[in-house]
Amino acid sequence: MDASQIPTNAKIVTPSDTADNNGFGVVFSGGACAVQTDKGDTVVFPVDFALIVIPIQIRKVLSTGTTATSVLVFR
């Protein structure tokens, strides 16, 4: 991996079933996190994955299925 593959920004997001929160990775805390991938799949990461950086291209952090108290998306 070279430096061009490392995200250069991050943002705390509010889960939404309609708003795009495009990013290249996600980390969350306090519960499960539901995302829609860039390809349109819906994945719910259980609380077991909390506080782990998950490197995946996402389109949305969904409110339906998300119980996490904080969600950070890398951009």
Side-chain angles (χ1 to χ4, degrees):
M1 175 186 301
D2 62 39
S4 69
Q5 297 173 310
I6 298 172
T8 58
N9 201 1
K11 181 178 181 181
I12 300 291
V13 299
T14 301
S16 169
D17 290 340
T18 57
D20 284 348
N21 287 310
N22 295 340
F24 302 106
V26 64
V27 63
F28 58 95
S29 65
C33 184
V35 300
Q36 182 183 67
T37 68
D38 200 39
K39 301 272 185 183
D41 296 325
T42 297
V43 179
V44 179
F45 296 106
V47 69
D48 297 344
F49 290 97
L51 302 177
I52 297 172
V53 175
I54 301 171
I56 186 171
Q57 284 189 299
I58 62 169
R59 182 178 303 150
K60 295 178 184 175
V61 176
L62 303 168
S63 59
T64 302
T66 296
T67 58
T69 54
S70 295
V71 180
L72 181 126
V73 173
F74 295 97
R75 298 175 180 234

